[in-house]
Amino acid sequence: QNQKTREQIERLLQDGKHKELRERLCCRLSFGTAGLRSAMGAGFCYINDLTVIQSTQGIYKYLERNFSDFKQRGFVVGYDTRGQVTSNCSSKKLAKLTAAVLLAKDVLVYFFSTYVPTPFVPYAVQQLGAVAGVMITASHNRKEDNGYKVYWENGAQITSPHDKEIIKCIEECVEPWDGSWNENLVDTSPLRQDPLKKICDSYMEDLTKICYHRELNLQSSLKFVHTSFHGVGHDYVQLAFKAFGFQPPIPVPEQKDPDPDFSTVKCPNPEEGESVLELSLRLAEKEGARVVVATDPDADRLAVAEQENGCWKVFTGNELAALFGWWMFSCWKENCSQDADVRNVYMLATTVSSKILRAIALKEGFHFEETLPGFKWIGSRVKNLLDNGKEVLFAFEESIGFMCGTSVLDKDGVSAAVVIAEMATYLQGQGLTLAQKLVDIYEMYGHHISKTSYFLCYDPPTIKRIFERLRNFGGPQSYPESCGVYNILHVRDITTGYDSSQPSKKSVLPVSKSSQMITFTFQNGCVATLRTSGTEPKIKYYAEMCALPGHSDRSVLEEELQKLIEALIENFLEPAKNDLTWRSA
C-alpha cells in the first residue's frame, strides 16, 4: 500500500531490469549481529512498510506460542530519526506499523511518543516486564539504511534459536492481516501506552548507581563538547550529565538536531575518527574544551577525543575499554562491602576485541569472559551471570560499544559518555589526562597494541572464495601454517567450529555458520581475526600484540604488528586480485 515502493517495482518491470527485480524480490531479510538491517526501498530483502509488517506478524506468532500472558505483559516499540523521501519510509512510520500489527491483535504496546536512544528499548523491556521489544534503527550505517532490532524479555537482543524460529514464523504469514496497515492505531487504541517519561526518569535515576564522584563533578571546571551526529542523543546526554551533577556539555549546533541526511558528515559513524569529528574538534578548540564525546545516531556507541599539547587524540574502542575497565574495577574496589569477593566479579568482551580486560582480570583476581562478536551475545551472557548471583562491572566490543553497569544489557553511548566525563574530571584532580592514564594502565598490565580496519567488497561470492581458500590452503581442509615469514600456532574457525588449540579440535565458542570468521594465533604472540561484517558489505581485520607487564618496547611492538598486518592482507586477502577497496580509499 506504499505508493512510492510500489512505483519502484513497477518502474523496474517497465525498464526490463529483471536482474535487479530478482535481487530485490527473491530473497528475504535475515537476522545479523544487530537484527534485520538493509537499505530502505522496495523488495523483500529491503526495509520497507511491508517487510516490517511481515516481520512483526512473524514475531507476534512466535511470542503468542511462547508466552500465554503476551497480550497483558505487552511489547515495547522505539525508533530513531532516519527517513527516506524516495520510498516514503521513516523510522517513526515503520514503528507505527510495528505497533499497528500488535494493537490490531489486542496486544498492549508501549510506544515511545518521540525518538529515543536504542538502549531505552532493552531498558524498557526489563523495567516494564514486557515480553519483547523492537527498535527501528540502522545505528551508524549510511543514510540509505534502516533496521529492525529485536529484544527478548531478558532485555538482551535475540540470539539463536529465537532468530531462526522467528524467520520461520515470518514465512508462515506473509499476507498482511486486517489492521496491520493501520498506522493510526497508535493514536486511537486504548492499548497503546507512552512509556517515555517513566522510562527516561527511571533510566536517569539508575544511571546514578555508576556515579562515584558527584561532589567533584559539581565543582568541575572541565568543559566537554558533545556531538550527537544528527541523531537522537542530544537531549538524553544533556540529562545524563545533569544526573551526574555536571554542567551540560556544549552541543555542536550543526549536528545536535535530527537530520536523516546526516548532512555534515561523510558517514554517520564516529568510529571513523578525526575526519568525521571535524566540527566538534573545532568547536572544542574555540570553547576551550579538552574532551569531546560523540554518540552515534542512535546513541548506543561512543567515540572520545582529548586535546593534549595542541593535538587531538581520538581513542580507539580498545583504548577506551582499557580506561573503562580500570575505572569500573577501581570504583568497585573503593566502594564494595568488606565481605565482597573479587572472584564473584566479571567483565566481558567480544572475541575480536582487545585482551586488555583479560590482563587486568589476571592481575586483580576477577573473571574475564569472551563471547562471539555482537552485543547480543554479551547481553545474554551477562543476564545469565546476573541470574547466577555474579556481579558484572563492564563489557565491550572494539567497535566503540560499551556497557557500564548492568541497567541496560546492551551497549549504551549515553551512560558511557557521562562515565568518561566523570573519569576525566577525577583524573584532572590527579593532574592526569585520559591519555596519560592509558599509558599507566598499559605499563601496569602490559602493552596491548591493536589495529582494526576493513575492506569493502560488494560481491558475496568473492568473500566466500577468500575464506574457502584459507580453509583449503595447502590442500583440502588444511589451514595455513604461516603467513609470509610469520608462523601460525593455532587456527580457530567459528564458521565451521574448528579450533586447533583444543584437544577435541572443536571451538569452545558457538558455531556461527551464517558469517565468516577465522582467527589466527601467531608464534610471536599476535592474534589476528578476519571476519565479515554482520551489518555492512565489509571484510574486517583485527590484530593485536599483547605483551606482559614490563616486557615491552612499544615502538618495537607497533612495528612488528604493522608488518604482520601487511603480510596478512597480502597473503590472505589479496586485495588487488579480489578487487577489494581499502577503507581509506
Side-chain angles (χ1 to χ4, degrees), residues 450-469:
S450 52
K451 280 230 165 93
T452 301
S453 194
Y454 60 80
F455 287 89
L456 291 163
C457 182
Y458 295 94
D459 183 46
T462 299
I463 294 176
K464 194 162 196 271
R465 194 169 64 244
I466 289 168
F467 283 90
E468 283 307 317
R469 175 175 166 264

PDB file of all heavy atoms in Angstrom, residues 450-469:
ATOM      1  N   SER A 450      46.620  -2.689  19.228  1.00  0.00           N
ATOM      2  CA  SER A 450      45.738  -3.335  18.252  1.00  0.00           C
ATOM      3  C   SER A 450      45.465  -2.426  17.068  1.00  0.00           C
ATOM      4  O   SER A 450      45.530  -1.211  17.179  1.00  0.00           O
ATOM      5  CB  SER A 450      44.418  -3.734  18.920  1.00  0.00           C
ATOM      6  OG  SER A 450      43.872  -2.644  19.589  1.00  0.00           O
ATOM      7  N   LYS A 451      45.185  -3.051  15.946  1.00  0.00           N
ATOM      8  CA  LYS A 451      44.792  -2.318  14.741  1.00  0.00           C
ATOM      9  C   LYS A 451      43.586  -3.027  14.144  1.00  0.00           C
ATOM     10  O   LYS A 451      43.567  -4.258  14.029  1.00  0.00           O
ATOM     11  CB  LYS A 451      45.924  -2.327  13.715  1.00  0.00           C
ATOM     12  CG  LYS A 451      46.999  -1.291  14.005  1.00  0.00           C
ATOM     13  CD  LYS A 451      47.306  -0.475  12.753  1.00  0.00           C
ATOM     14  CE  LYS A 451      48.087   0.785  13.078  1.00  0.00           C
ATOM     15  NZ  LYS A 451      49.519   0.626  12.992  1.00  0.00           N
ATOM     16  N   THR A 452      42.599  -2.239  13.787  1.00  0.00           N
ATOM     17  CA  THR A 452      41.381  -2.773  13.187  1.00  0.00           C
ATOM     18  C   THR A 452      41.075  -1.952  11.950  1.00  0.00           C
ATOM     19  O   THR A 452      41.148  -0.729  11.994  1.00  0.00           O
ATOM     20  CB  THR A 452      40.191  -2.643  14.173  1.00  0.00           C
ATOM     21  OG1 THR A 452      40.511  -3.354  15.357  1.00  0.00           O
ATOM     22  CG2 THR A 452      38.922  -3.210  13.581  1.00  0.00           C
ATOM     23  N   SER A 453      40.739  -2.609  10.858  1.00  0.00           N
ATOM     24  CA  SER A 453      40.292  -1.875   9.680  1.00  0.00           C
ATOM     25  C   SER A 453      39.445  -2.810   8.824  1.00  0.00           C
ATOM     26  O   SER A 453      39.073  -3.896   9.271  1.00  0.00           O
ATOM     27  CB  SER A 453      41.481  -1.323   8.897  1.00  0.00           C
ATOM     28  OG  SER A 453      40.999  -0.358   7.965  1.00  0.00           O
ATOM     29  N   TYR A 454      39.145  -2.381   7.617  1.00  0.00           N
ATOM     30  CA  TYR A 454      38.296  -3.220   6.770  1.00  0.00           C
ATOM     31  C   TYR A 454      38.506  -2.933   5.293  1.00  0.00           C
ATOM     32  O   TYR A 454      39.050  -1.884   4.916  1.00  0.00           O
ATOM     33  CB  TYR A 454      36.813  -3.029   7.121  1.00  0.00           C
ATOM     34  CG  TYR A 454      36.298  -1.616   6.955  1.00  0.00           C
ATOM     35  CD1 TYR A 454      35.945  -1.115   5.699  1.00  0.00           C
ATOM     36  CD2 TYR A 454      36.153  -0.773   8.052  1.00  0.00           C
ATOM     37  CE1 TYR A 454      35.474   0.184   5.552  1.00  0.00           C
ATOM     38  CE2 TYR A 454      35.690   0.526   7.907  1.00  0.00           C
ATOM     39  CZ  TYR A 454      35.350   0.994   6.654  1.00  0.00           C
ATOM     40  OH  TYR A 454      34.894   2.283   6.500  1.00  0.00           O
ATOM     41  N   PHE A 455      38.074  -3.885   4.487  1.00  0.00           N
ATOM     42  CA  PHE A 455      37.973  -3.702   3.040  1.00  0.00           C
ATOM     43  C   PHE A 455      36.508  -3.813   2.662  1.00  0.00           C
ATOM     44  O   PHE A 455      35.767  -4.601   3.254  1.00  0.00           O
ATOM     45  CB  PHE A 455      38.760  -4.787   2.297  1.00  0.00           C
ATOM     46  CG  PHE A 455      40.247  -4.613   2.367  1.00  0.00           C
ATOM     47  CD1 PHE A 455      40.980  -5.166   3.406  1.00  0.00           C
ATOM     48  CD2 PHE A 455      40.919  -3.883   1.404  1.00  0.00           C
ATOM     49  CE1 PHE A 455      42.353  -4.993   3.484  1.00  0.00           C
ATOM     50  CE2 PHE A 455      42.286  -3.703   1.469  1.00  0.00           C
ATOM     51  CZ  PHE A 455      43.015  -4.262   2.505  1.00  0.00           C
ATOM     52  N   LEU A 456      36.106  -3.028   1.662  1.00  0.00           N
ATOM     53  CA  LEU A 456      34.738  -3.135   1.151  1.00  0.00           C
ATOM     54  C   LEU A 456      34.717  -4.172   0.036  1.00  0.00           C
ATOM     55  O   LEU A 456      35.613  -4.207  -0.802  1.00  0.00           O
ATOM     56  CB  LEU A 456      34.264  -1.783   0.606  1.00  0.00           C
ATOM     57  CG  LEU A 456      34.033  -0.704   1.668  1.00  0.00           C
ATOM     58  CD1 LEU A 456      33.969   0.674   1.031  1.00  0.00           C
ATOM     59  CD2 LEU A 456      32.759  -0.972   2.447  1.00  0.00           C
ATOM     60  N   CYS A 457      33.693  -5.017   0.056  1.00  0.00           N
ATOM     61  CA  CYS A 457      33.524  -6.000  -1.014  1.00  0.00           C
ATOM     62  C   CYS A 457      32.032  -6.201  -1.235  1.00  0.00           C
ATOM     63  O   CYS A 457      31.328  -6.673  -0.338  1.00  0.00           O
ATOM     64  CB  CYS A 457      34.197  -7.325  -0.654  1.00  0.00           C
ATOM     65  SG  CYS A 457      34.045  -8.542  -1.972  1.00  0.00           S
ATOM     66  N   TYR A 458      31.569  -5.828  -2.413  1.00  0.00           N
ATOM     67  CA  TYR A 458      30.129  -5.890  -2.693  1.00  0.00           C
ATOM     68  C   TYR A 458      29.733  -7.186  -3.400  1.00  0.00           C
ATOM     69  O   TYR A 458      28.603  -7.328  -3.849  1.00  0.00           O
ATOM     70  CB  TYR A 458      29.708  -4.675  -3.547  1.00  0.00           C
ATOM     71  CG  TYR A 458      29.884  -3.367  -2.811  1.00  0.00           C
ATOM     72  CD1 TYR A 458      31.049  -2.612  -2.956  1.00  0.00           C
ATOM     73  CD2 TYR A 458      28.905  -2.901  -1.935  1.00  0.00           C
ATOM     74  CE1 TYR A 458      31.227  -1.414  -2.261  1.00  0.00           C
ATOM     75  CE2 TYR A 458      29.068  -1.709  -1.244  1.00  0.00           C
ATOM     76  CZ  TYR A 458      30.233  -0.974  -1.409  1.00  0.00           C
ATOM     77  OH  TYR A 458      30.394   0.196  -0.712  1.00  0.00           O
ATOM     78  N   ASP A 459      30.680  -8.129  -3.496  1.00  0.00           N
ATOM     79  CA  ASP A 459      30.412  -9.374  -4.230  1.00  0.00           C
ATOM     80  C   ASP A 459      30.501 -10.577  -3.284  1.00  0.00           C
ATOM     81  O   ASP A 459      31.604 -11.065  -3.005  1.00  0.00           O
ATOM     82  CB  ASP A 459      31.434  -9.507  -5.370  1.00  0.00           C
ATOM     83  CG  ASP A 459      31.171 -10.746  -6.221  1.00  0.00           C
ATOM     84  OD1 ASP A 459      29.995 -10.974  -6.579  1.00  0.00           O
ATOM     85  OD2 ASP A 459      32.125 -11.489  -6.501  1.00  0.00           O
ATOM     86  N   PRO A 460      29.343 -11.061  -2.773  1.00  0.00           N
ATOM     87  CA  PRO A 460      29.381 -12.170  -1.806  1.00  0.00           C
ATOM     88  C   PRO A 460      30.175 -13.411  -2.274  1.00  0.00           C
ATOM     89  O   PRO A 460      30.900 -13.996  -1.464  1.00  0.00           O
ATOM     90  CB  PRO A 460      27.894 -12.497  -1.575  1.00  0.00           C
ATOM     91  CG  PRO A 460      27.191 -11.197  -1.850  1.00  0.00           C
ATOM     92  CD  PRO A 460      27.976 -10.554  -2.965  1.00  0.00           C
ATOM     93  N   PRO A 461      30.106 -13.821  -3.558  1.00  0.00           N
ATOM     94  CA  PRO A 461      30.916 -14.989  -3.975  1.00  0.00           C
ATOM     95  C   PRO A 461      32.422 -14.781  -3.776  1.00  0.00           C
ATOM     96  O   PRO A 461      33.148 -15.721  -3.426  1.00  0.00           O
ATOM     97  CB  PRO A 461      30.583 -15.158  -5.464  1.00  0.00           C
ATOM     98  CG  PRO A 461      29.241 -14.535  -5.626  1.00  0.00           C
ATOM     99  CD  PRO A 461      29.212 -13.388  -4.661  1.00  0.00           C
ATOM    100  N   THR A 462      32.902 -13.532  -3.969  1.00  0.00           N
ATOM    101  CA  THR A 462      34.325 -13.243  -3.746  1.00  0.00           C
ATOM    102  C   THR A 462      34.681 -13.439  -2.274  1.00  0.00           C
ATOM    103  O   THR A 462      35.698 -14.052  -1.937  1.00  0.00           O
ATOM    104  CB  THR A 462      34.659 -11.787  -4.172  1.00  0.00           C
ATOM    105  OG1 THR A 462      34.378 -11.660  -5.561  1.00  0.00           O
ATOM    106  CG2 THR A 462      36.121 -11.443  -3.916  1.00  0.00           C
ATOM    107  N   ILE A 463      33.819 -12.937  -1.391  1.00  0.00           N
ATOM    108  CA  ILE A 463      34.060 -13.094   0.052  1.00  0.00           C
ATOM    109  C   ILE A 463      34.143 -14.576   0.408  1.00  0.00           C
ATOM    110  O   ILE A 463      35.066 -15.017   1.096  1.00  0.00           O
ATOM    111  CB  ILE A 463      32.943 -12.388   0.871  1.00  0.00           C
ATOM    112  CG1 ILE A 463      33.018 -10.871   0.658  1.00  0.00           C
ATOM    113  CG2 ILE A 463      33.062 -12.733   2.353  1.00  0.00           C
ATOM    114  CD1 ILE A 463      31.920 -10.060   1.326  1.00  0.00           C
ATOM    115  N   LYS A 464      33.207 -15.353  -0.110  1.00  0.00           N
ATOM    116  CA  LYS A 464      33.180 -16.797   0.187  1.00  0.00           C
ATOM    117  C   LYS A 464      34.466 -17.461  -0.319  1.00  0.00           C
ATOM    118  O   LYS A 464      35.073 -18.288   0.370  1.00  0.00           O
ATOM    119  CB  LYS A 464      31.943 -17.426  -0.472  1.00  0.00           C
ATOM    120  CG  LYS A 464      31.646 -18.821   0.037  1.00  0.00           C
ATOM    121  CD  LYS A 464      30.216 -19.237  -0.269  1.00  0.00           C
ATOM    122  CE  LYS A 464      29.828 -20.422   0.547  1.00  0.00           C
ATOM    123  NZ  LYS A 464      30.035 -21.685   0.138  1.00  0.00           N
ATOM    124  N   ARG A 465      34.894 -17.056  -1.515  1.00  0.00           N
ATOM    125  CA  ARG A 465      36.093 -17.652  -2.127  1.00  0.00           C
ATOM    126  C   ARG A 465      37.339 -17.358  -1.282  1.00  0.00           C
ATOM    127  O   ARG A 465      38.185 -18.224  -1.076  1.00  0.00           O
ATOM    128  CB  ARG A 465      36.259 -17.107  -3.549  1.00  0.00           C
ATOM    129  CG  ARG A 465      37.252 -17.876  -4.399  1.00  0.00           C
ATOM    130  CD  ARG A 465      37.188 -17.466  -5.860  1.00  0.00           C
ATOM    131  NE  ARG A 465      37.573 -16.056  -6.058  1.00  0.00           N
ATOM    132  CZ  ARG A 465      36.745 -15.133  -6.523  1.00  0.00           C
ATOM    133  NH1 ARG A 465      35.493 -15.443  -6.858  1.00  0.00           N
ATOM    134  NH2 ARG A 465      37.154 -13.886  -6.675  1.00  0.00           N
ATOM    135  N   ILE A 466      37.431 -16.122  -0.746  1.00  0.00           N
ATOM    136  CA  ILE A 466      38.589 -15.742   0.090  1.00  0.00           C
ATOM    137  C   ILE A 466      38.683 -16.662   1.309  1.00  0.00           C
ATOM    138  O   ILE A 466      39.752 -17.188   1.641  1.00  0.00           O
ATOM    139  CB  ILE A 466      38.479 -14.256   0.528  1.00  0.00           C
ATOM    140  CG1 ILE A 466      38.718 -13.338  -0.675  1.00  0.00           C
ATOM    141  CG2 ILE A 466      39.454 -13.935   1.666  1.00  0.00           C
ATOM    142  CD1 ILE A 466      38.351 -11.866  -0.442  1.00  0.00           C
ATOM    143  N   PHE A 467      37.540 -16.872   1.976  1.00  0.00           N
ATOM    144  CA  PHE A 467      37.554 -17.698   3.200  1.00  0.00           C
ATOM    145  C   PHE A 467      37.715 -19.189   2.890  1.00  0.00           C
ATOM    146  O   PHE A 467      38.389 -19.907   3.629  1.00  0.00           O
ATOM    147  CB  PHE A 467      36.295 -17.412   4.037  1.00  0.00           C
ATOM    148  CG  PHE A 467      36.383 -16.120   4.804  1.00  0.00           C
ATOM    149  CD1 PHE A 467      35.941 -14.925   4.247  1.00  0.00           C
ATOM    150  CD2 PHE A 467      36.940 -16.082   6.074  1.00  0.00           C
ATOM    151  CE1 PHE A 467      36.044 -13.719   4.939  1.00  0.00           C
ATOM    152  CE2 PHE A 467      37.051 -14.884   6.787  1.00  0.00           C
ATOM    153  CZ  PHE A 467      36.602 -13.702   6.210  1.00  0.00           C
ATOM    154  N   GLU A 468      37.133 -19.643   1.790  1.00  0.00           N
ATOM    155  CA  GLU A 468      37.285 -21.064   1.419  1.00  0.00           C
ATOM    156  C   GLU A 468      38.740 -21.374   1.055  1.00  0.00           C
ATOM    157  O   GLU A 468      39.237 -22.466   1.326  1.00  0.00           O
ATOM    158  CB  GLU A 468      36.346 -21.423   0.252  1.00  0.00           C
ATOM    159  CG  GLU A 468      34.891 -21.613   0.665  1.00  0.00           C
ATOM    160  CD  GLU A 468      34.689 -22.607   1.811  1.00  0.00           C
ATOM    161  OE1 GLU A 468      35.334 -23.686   1.815  1.00  0.00           O
ATOM    162  OE2 GLU A 468      33.913 -22.312   2.748  1.00  0.00           O
ATOM    163  N   ARG A 469      39.419 -20.401   0.455  1.00  0.00           N
ATOM    164  CA  ARG A 469      40.848 -20.591   0.123  1.00  0.00           C
ATOM    165  C   ARG A 469      41.649 -20.807   1.413  1.00  0.00           C
ATOM    166  O   ARG A 469      42.555 -21.642   1.461  1.00  0.00           O
ATOM    167  CB  ARG A 469      41.352 -19.361  -0.641  1.00  0.00           C
ATOM    168  CG  ARG A 469      42.842 -19.389  -0.922  1.00  0.00           C
ATOM    169  CD  ARG A 469      43.264 -18.198  -1.788  1.00  0.00           C
ATOM    170  NE  ARG A 469      44.708 -18.052  -1.788  1.00  0.00           N
ATOM    171  CZ  ARG A 469      45.393 -17.237  -0.998  1.00  0.00           C
ATOM    172  NH1 ARG A 469      44.745 -16.449  -0.152  1.00  0.00           N
ATOM    173  NH2 ARG A 469      46.706 -17.163  -1.069  1.00  0.00           N
TER     174      ARG A 469
END
